[in-house]
Amino acid sequence: MKLSARNNLAGTIKSIDEGLITSKVVIDLGNGNEIVSIISKDAINDLQLKVGEPAFAIVKSTEVIIGVPD
């Protein structure tokens, strides 16, 4: 897989919560870190995503917002 995005995070699919049109996919990145993505049900089927399988979270963005606790 070759991509122009430089921010790719390897992990394992922890859960897939399917809705009517979209699904929430949680990827376990290890060390207690997770990332969540909302994608279409069609994408779930096209990529044949399954819990326990390896996957990449690929972040393509022009900005990152930083927050701090109050």
Side-chain angles (χ1 to χ4, degrees):
M1 170 176 67
K2 290 185 178 184
L3 300 169
S4 63
R6 297 290 178 231
N7 303 311
N8 57 72
L9 308 167
T12 302
I13 299 174
K14 180 178 180 179
S15 64
I16 300 171
D17 183 16
E18 292 194 36
L20 293 175
I21 298 170
T22 60
S23 300
K24 179 172 81 170
V25 179
V26 179
I27 297 179
D28 181 358
L29 302 174
N31 297 319
N33 298 301
E34 298 176 345
I35 192 163
V36 178
S37 181
I38 305 298
I39 63 175
S40 71
K41 286 181 71 172
D42 287 342
I44 297 283
N45 294 327
D46 290 346
L47 295 169
Q48 300 178 359
L49 299 183
K50 294 178 179 53
V51 172
E53 295 289 328
F56 290 90
I58 300 153
V59 181
K60 183 73 174 179
S61 180
T62 58
E63 67 181 278
V64 174
I65 299 169
I66 306 294
V68 296
D70 293 317

